[in-house]
Amino acid sequence: MARLVKVCKASDIDEGGSTVVDVEGEQILLLKHAGRFYAVSNICTHDYAELSNGLLMEGTITCPVHLSRFRLDTGEVLNPPAEKPLKAYRVVLEGDSLYVEV
């Protein structure tokens, strides 16, 4: 059953910024892009690389090592070498608190 886990304050993430949080052993990358918050797995699905070191642009995150791009809203892979999508999490904003659904 899905539940919401408080991860940080919304004011802690500036526009175009990000932070990595650990939720039950999973590294989750929280980002603010175009005024909206997103949460995806921080680890590239192709091979181990931290997406928090990647390039955020036009609703996508690019792996800093393999250059695969993923959609922030769905985790969909947009180009190889990655073939599997990232896990994408629903983000809920309540006041200044950010929650992810796990």
Side-chain angles (χ1 to χ4, degrees):
M1 183 168 157
R3 62 187 174 84
L4 295 176
V5 176
K6 184 176 178 180
V7 290
C8 69
K9 292 182 178 182
S11 57
D12 291 341
I13 305 175
D14 295 328
E15 178 62 35
S18 65
T19 190
V20 177
V21 295
D22 183 287
V23 177
E24 299 173 359
E26 178 78 22
Q27 285 188 42
I28 297 176
L29 176 61
L30 289 165
L31 310 107
K32 185 174 184 184
H33 176 69
R36 186 170 169 208
F37 291 97
Y38 298 92
V40 294
S41 174
N42 187 43
I43 306 303
C44 181
T45 60
H46 170 250
D47 198 1
Y48 189 91
E50 294 180 357
L51 296 175
S52 54
N53 296 319
L55 176 65
L56 173 64
M57 187 172 63
E58 299 177 4
T60 67
I61 187 79
T62 301
C63 176
V65 177
H66 311 108
L67 303 179
S68 287
R69 287 184 320 130
F70 302 89
R71 285 181 52 157
L72 295 176
D73 57 348
T74 64
E76 175 187 358
V77 178
L78 299 175
N79 65 283
E83 296 177 355
K84 293 186 215 172
L86 291 176
K87 184 165 185 176
Y89 300 85
R90 185 171 76 95
V91 179
V92 175
L93 174 63
E94 288 185 7
D96 189 41
S97 297
L98 282 178
Y99 298 80
V100 293
E101 186 176 77
V102 294

